[in-house]
Amino acid sequence: MPWALPTFLGVVVPTLLSMFSVVLFLRLGFVVGHAGLYQALAMFAVAYFIIGMTVLSVCAIATNGALDAGGAYYMISRALGPEFGGSIGIMFFLANVCGSALYILGLVEAVVDSFGVPPVGTGVHVLPQSYWYELLYGTILLALCLVVCLVGASIYAKATFLIFLIVMGVLATILISFFATQPVGVPIHLPHSNSSETENGLFTGFSLTTLRDNLGGRYRVDYTTGQMMSFSTVFAVMFNGCTGIMAGSNMSGDLKRPSYSIPRGTISAVLFTYLVYNLLAFLMCATCNRTLLQNDYGFLRDISIFPPLVTVGIYAATLSAAMSNLIGASRILYALARDDLFGRALALAKKTSASGNPIMAVILSWLVVQLVLFSGKLNTIAGVVTTFFLLVYATVNLACLALEWASAPNFRPTFRYFTWHTCLLGIAGCCVMMFLISPVSASASLGFLLLLLLALHYLSPSSTWGYISQALIFHQVRKYLLMLDVRKDHVKFWRPQMLLMVQNPRGSARLIDFVNDLKKSGLYILGHVELQDLDALPSDPLQAQQDSWLGLVDKLNVKAFVSLTLAPSVRHGVRQLLFTSGLGGMRPNTLVLGFYDEAAPQDGLAQHPAFTSARDEVPLGFPPPRAPAAPKLLSAREYVGIVADALKMLRNVLLARHLESLDKAWELRRPAAAPPSIHVWPVNLLRPDSARYADTCSLFLLQTACVLNMTRAWRRARLRLFLCVEAGAMPHAQEDKLRQLLKDLRIQAQIQLVPWDAVVGLHWQAQRVPPGGPAPHEEESAMNFPGNASQVSDEYVRAANKLVLEQGPAPAVRFLYLPRPPADTSLYPLYLHHLDLLTRDLGPTVLVHGVSAVTSTQL
């Protein structure tokens, strides 16, 4: 920093000059004349209450860490994130730009009053008056501000200090004049009346009669615009005298010690201006009649003991305020450009001079101010400027409130004279006054802010500043997780909470998407087990993988968490995740596994529409799929053991086979005449002797299929429920019973009767051993199920598979009953073999075993 500014020159002086400026010399009489003393004091109280709350928030944020260029924009962006920061930065830039234009127009008005033709008041009148001439005068004055701001902060500080001395001298002269000047009549020309008509305003000196006459409000037509005044329009003009509180903050990048200077300098300036405004309002009401106050905005010059000094003071203060807003706007624009929130649109504003002055930002700000000057009248843009500043102040309070409510340990401002109550009062005050002043401007500003928020949310690059939204979400989630009591769970409000185990996402993209549809707004966790020993590693390898997995979740647009673990085996890793995944009442109740078979995994991730990288590249850093000849990471026995472990832990289990062949987009584009279908087989096909449709597992299977059908993407699909019946078993009675069950459960499905006598016959044939013949070898052709001495042959399982396959047309996905693994672990390979036979060539299939009650017929 070439030349750092101290507190007085960098904060106090700019803030004082910005707050005095137009209102002190040209509009304080206007405010008192229309509103009266009581309402004027009320306006000051309300305005300073609002800005007082905002100043407390500014001081808190400014003392919570190092500040850089950008003032309020820097505070808001680093507190609320780039979306809020960028949008409010643009609004604050526009507020400063319009403020600079407002002060230039005020200065033009003062010059024309003094030197304009036709004459208004006393003095030399040589300057022609018209819209274009006044625009020319404003352009010249703005060019003078541009020259000072282009030189840099040092010359600006020296110029403002000189102006500060002049303004303080003028203010002292004005205060003395109220006591020293004799009563006098001031001739007033009324522009909106006959050109020859004049009226005398009176400076009465201290008079109780004058004071009483000026106590109440008396709103009239504004003689510069011809518009009827009201409380809100007068307040809008008056509030411009309070909007300079950010002048010091805007110079944060040029201050020697921003965190020290901003609180002390801003509070000192605010208190001083409040006292001066109230004192002058009382003196004006006690000495000047309403005609003078309402029809001569430059009357302070007419009653002064040294009129030329007041004229110089008006010019100096207003010019200083215009420069302050111009240089503030340029610093905000420079900070926005440097943060790259708007990409190339603001790239030009990054350029600085050798001394670090953002000259291109100054020039761009000057161009925008020049455009605003075309509005022509001070009172015309006062409402817009006030609305912009109020919106910025409300957001500063919001930023401080969010930091306070987030209870982040690193929010430790050294300025402690604030609470969340002051922030909330500041927000409420700003919003109420914004709509009272100009409902149209307030609505338009909020709409523009919302558009900027949405644009930045979707288009701006991510930042490393830290997002307050994350801290607030954490705070609320923790609170509500503590309130989520698992002892109050009820079956009516059950929802699936999935833990999907993924070895390599490159072979599981469609399965991940399918399970996302199954979760029904429940918890969804992608689990992965890394087979390594932490003792033999220098650091945790999972930290490097976390970003890749989170990037996968973002790319696939699934609402899932990621949980990674290290373990000596896959089975141990899955146990860890089942025990530890989730938090409080949000824990997985369902384990989803891909199917264990000999099929070589295909690379479906690189072909997924979400990825645009070339197929020979590895998306997100995941390794290529396992080669067909490469050994698997777990054995068949270990795989079935995982299923058994999950059931022992009272978790439901889903085994998904051939889900990578599910083309959801194609299925859901089917014509209405042939919509996609979901086939549901709620009977245990491997145990036909104990076939039931209303046990816990069958009901869970029905619920799972129904949940899929309820999701938006699958609503066109039709549920088809297959009822396996034997001859002589009263099939229609069974169908009626099942139909009633579906009605009670509010599940819409088509029931189809499937005779399976031939299949069941194969099952019972396997039970009969020929007389004198050897019994079949248990491990080769049959298996024992717990609690059942029956034997299931390969021939029977193939027949069951054929029965399922013959029920056309081919569905989008099938749901089958998953039997429990056998109690004898030596039969695990045979159990898996029969599952393989049962689901072979069926296309996308989900084997389901439920252990918890999930359906309810109650309200």
Side-chain angles (χ1 to χ4, degrees):
M1 189 181 297
W3 193 68
L5 301 176
T7 302
F8 187 74
L9 288 180
V11 181
V12 177
V13 170
T15 306
L16 278 176
L17 292 179
S18 293
M19 296 184 74
F20 279 155
S21 61
V22 173
V23 172
L24 177 65
F25 294 113
L26 294 179
R27 285 298 183 270
L28 191 55
F30 159 84
V31 172
V32 174
H34 286 281
L37 180 62
Y38 291 153
Q39 291 188 35
L41 294 180
M43 286 182 184
F44 289 131
V46 171
Y48 273 83
F49 175 79
I50 293 172
I51 67 167
M53 299 300 102
T54 305
V55 166
L56 297 181
S57 298
V58 169
C59 294
I61 299 175
T63 58
N64 190 53
L67 275 179
D68 206 340
Y73 158 70
Y74 189 87
M75 298 178 194
I76 294 170
S77 62
R78 269 50 178 184
L80 298 183
E83 295 95 342
F84 255 107
S87 53
I88 287 297
I90 289 293
M91 300 296 288
F92 199 28
F93 167 74
L94 293 176
N96 277 273
V97 161
C98 293
S100 182
L102 181 139
Y103 296 130
I104 290 291
L105 291 173
L107 182 52
V108 169
E109 183 180 299
V111 171
V112 168
D113 281 349
S114 300
F115 304 105
V117 178
V120 178
T122 60
V124 180
H125 305 284
V126 294
L127 297 178
Q129 277 184 262
S130 72
Y131 170 80
W132 292 107
Y133 274 112
E134 291 179 10
L135 178 63
L136 175 63
Y137 306 151
T139 302
I140 295 171
L141 294 170
L142 182 60
L144 178 61
C145 296
L146 172 66
V147 171
V148 174
C149 294
L150 283 177
V151 174
S154 60
I155 189 66
Y156 164 76
K158 293 172 183 176
T160 52
F161 181 64
L162 178 62
I163 293 173
F164 171 75
L165 294 178
I166 295 173
V167 169
M168 289 300 103
V170 172
L171 183 59
T173 303
I174 290 172
L175 291 174
I176 294 171
S177 298
F178 280 112
F179 296 91
T181 303
Q182 297 299 316
V184 63
V186 180
I188 296 171
H189 175 76
L190 302 178
H192 292 282
S193 302
N194 189 306
S195 60
S196 62
E197 183 181 346
T198 60
E199 187 174 341
N200 278 336
L202 295 177
F203 175 77
T204 64
F206 285 95
S207 168
L208 189 59
T209 303
T210 304
L211 179 62
R212 285 174 178 169
D213 185 57
N214 288 330
L215 290 178
R218 197 179 302 164
Y219 295 99
R220 299 284 176 84
V221 174
D222 174 30
Y223 78 87
T224 63
T225 62
Q227 296 177 353
M228 185 65 188
M229 294 293 99
S230 65
F231 180 90
S232 60
T233 53
V234 172
F235 182 86
V237 175
M238 185 279 302
F239 193 80
N240 282 288
C242 310
T243 54
I245 61 170
M246 292 291 189
S249 303
N250 291 343
M251 301 297 294
S252 56
D254 300 295
L255 295 173
K256 187 181 298 182
R257 298 164 60 191
S259 296
Y260 174 88
S261 299
I262 290 175
R264 288 163 176 80
T266 305
I267 291 175
S268 302
V270 167
L271 290 175
F272 182 75
T273 56
Y274 180 67
L275 293 174
V276 169
Y277 278 140
N278 280 274
L279 176 60
L280 286 178
F282 174 77
L283 293 176
M284 288 178 182
C285 284
T287 59
C288 304
N289 73 348
R290 280 192 189 270
T291 304
L292 180 63
L293 294 174
Q294 290 182 344
N295 296 294
D296 185 3
Y297 295 160
F299 76 96
L300 290 176
R301 179 178 56 249
D302 299 323
I303 67 170
S304 174
I305 57 174
F306 188 54
L309 186 60
V310 177
T311 302
V312 172
I314 292 172
Y315 296 168
T318 313
L319 190 66
S320 169
M323 281 193 298
S324 174
N325 278 265
L326 179 60
I327 200 168
S330 68
R331 287 342 187 233
I332 295 165
L333 188 64
Y334 172 65
L336 283 165
R338 198 174 58 176
D339 286 337
D340 279 328
L341 295 184
F342 294 89
R344 295 181 179 178
L346 297 180
L348 192 62
K350 293 182 184 178
K351 296 185 178 180
T352 61
S353 64
S355 61
N357 186 33
I359 53 174
M360 291 309 301
V362 172
I363 293 173
L364 290 173
S365 302
W366 165 75
L367 286 173
V368 181
V369 175
Q370 183 65 58
L371 292 175
V372 179
L373 286 181
F374 283 95
S375 63
K377 287 294 181 183
L378 185 154
N379 287 8
T380 305
I381 62 172
V384 176
V385 175
T386 304
T387 300
F388 280 172
F389 275 110
L390 281 169
L391 190 58
V392 173
Y393 295 166
T395 313
V396 170
N397 285 301
L398 177 63
C400 190
L401 178 67
L403 289 167
E404 179 71 7
W405 274 355
S407 301
N410 282 321
F411 183 59
R412 297 189 297 271
T414 56
F415 182 86
R416 296 302 305 166
Y417 301 102
F418 78 100
T419 67
W420 65 268
H421 304 86
T422 61
C423 302
L424 208 57
L425 286 172
I427 295 171
C430 290
C431 293
V432 169
M433 293 313 302
M434 195 164 57
F435 280 94
L436 281 178
I437 290 169
S438 176
V440 175
S441 297
S443 302
S445 300
L446 287 173
F448 183 53
L449 176 65
L450 183 61
L451 287 176
L452 286 172
L453 276 171
L454 292 174
L456 285 172
H457 178 73
Y458 290 106
L459 301 178
S460 70
S462 60
S463 71
T464 58
W465 308 334
Y467 292 78
I468 189 63
S469 58
Q470 296 299 304
L472 289 171
I473 290 169
F474 177 89
H475 187 268
Q476 293 302 106
V477 167
R478 182 193 64 85
K479 181 172 74 174
Y480 286 115
L481 271 175
L482 290 171
M483 296 170 62
L484 190 60
D485 191 345
V486 293
R487 297 168 295 183
K488 297 178 181 179
D489 281 350
H490 194 279
V491 66
K492 288 189 297 184
F493 308 112
W494 177 91
R495 66 181 71 240
Q497 306 200 81
M498 305 289 196
L499 171 61
L500 170 62
M501 298 305 305
V502 181
Q503 178 189 343
N504 188 340
R506 298 197 65 161
S508 309
R510 289 183 175 176
L511 176 57
I512 293 171
D513 183 61
F514 178 78
V515 177
N516 186 60
D517 290 337
L518 271 181
K519 72 180 186 306
K520 186 56 179 175
S521 303
L523 180 67
Y524 183 18
I525 299 176
L526 297 181
H528 173 71
V529 179
E530 193 75 20
L531 298 182
Q532 296 191 56
D533 183 4
L534 190 60
D535 290 339
L537 297 171
S539 62
D540 180 9
L542 300 180
Q543 297 298 321
Q545 298 183 26
Q546 189 78 15
D547 286 345
S548 294
W549 283 87
L550 293 176
L552 173 76
V553 169
D554 293 337
K555 281 283 190 180
L556 295 181
N557 195 26
V558 295
K559 297 177 181 178
F561 298 96
V562 173
S563 187
L564 312 179
T565 188
L566 287 176
S569 68
V570 175
R571 185 174 182 181
H572 281 86
V574 176
R575 281 179 184 171
Q576 290 176 21
L577 293 177
L578 285 172
F579 276 125
T580 61
S581 293
L583 194 63
M586 294 188 68
R587 293 184 178 277
N589 56 27
T590 304
L591 175 67
V592 186
L593 302 172
F595 197 77
Y596 189 96
D597 56 21
E598 299 302 323
Q602 301 297 314
D603 187 358
L605 191 60
Q607 303 168 2
H608 196 279
F611 292 91
T612 56
S613 56
R615 294 186 182 181
D616 57 343
E617 296 178 359
V618 180
L620 299 172
F622 293 112
R626 176 181 58 85
K632 294 187 175 184
L633 297 180
L634 75 166
S635 64
R637 191 183 298 273
E638 188 180 7
Y639 176 83
V640 179
I642 293 172
V643 176
D645 291 344
L647 296 177
K648 289 177 185 177
M649 299 165 70
L650 299 181
R651 304 296 202 279
N652 311 298
V653 176
L654 274 59
L655 304 183
R657 188 174 194 186
H658 302 310
L659 259 297
E660 288 307 302
S661 66
L662 172 62
D663 189 346
K664 186 174 78 171
W666 182 85
E667 291 286 351
L668 300 180
R669 283 198 305 267
R670 286 189 177 188
S677 61
I678 301 171
H679 286 190
V680 183
W681 294 78
V683 67
N684 186 351
L685 294 174
L686 297 187
R687 292 184 61 181
D689 53 323
S690 61
R692 293 166 54 195
Y693 289 92
D695 65 359
T696 299
C697 185
S698 296
L699 292 176
F700 181 84
L701 191 151
L702 278 172
Q703 181 82 327
T704 305
C706 181
V707 165
L708 179 65
N709 192 215
M710 290 171 69
T711 58
R712 182 175 301 175
W714 289 89
R715 282 177 186 168
R716 288 187 60 246
R718 298 291 180 263
L719 280 182
R720 296 183 65 195
L721 190 61
F722 294 93
L723 178 61
C724 297
V725 295
E726 298 180 54
M730 296 187 294
H732 293 294
Q734 294 184 43
E735 182 182 2
D736 292 342
K737 185 177 179 181
L738 181 58
R739 197 177 302 280
Q740 183 61 42
L741 174 65
L742 293 178
K743 182 179 178 181
D744 292 341
L745 297 176
R746 291 89 62 204
I747 296 176
Q748 295 182 358
Q750 173 191 349
I751 299 176
Q752 182 170 333
L753 300 180
V754 180
W756 71 330
D757 298 84
V759 178
V760 174
L762 291 173
H763 169 69
W764 293 116
Q765 182 180 355
Q767 313 304 309
R768 294 189 290 272
V769 180
H777 193 277
E778 183 180 61
E779 290 270 338
E780 294 179 1
S781 61
M783 65 181 294
N784 290 322
F785 287 88
N788 190 350
S790 63
Q791 298 172 330
V792 180
S793 65
D794 287 1
E795 184 181 10
Y796 164 75
V797 179
R798 290 191 185 95
N801 169 263
K802 183 179 179 183
L803 178 72
V804 174
L805 196 58
E806 288 174 347
Q807 309 308 313
V813 64
R814 290 182 173 91
F815 287 89
L816 302 184
Y817 191 116
L818 173 67
R820 293 184 72 95
D824 185 355
T825 58
S826 65
L827 297 179
Y828 281 1
L830 186 58
Y831 168 81
L832 188 58
H833 169 66
H834 283 154
L835 294 182
D836 175 53
L837 291 178
L838 181 64
T839 57
R840 187 169 295 175
D841 301 324
L842 291 185
T845 304
V846 182
L847 291 160
V848 181
H849 190 97
V851 296
S852 54
V854 295
T855 56
S856 173
T857 59
Q858 302 175 3
L859 285 176

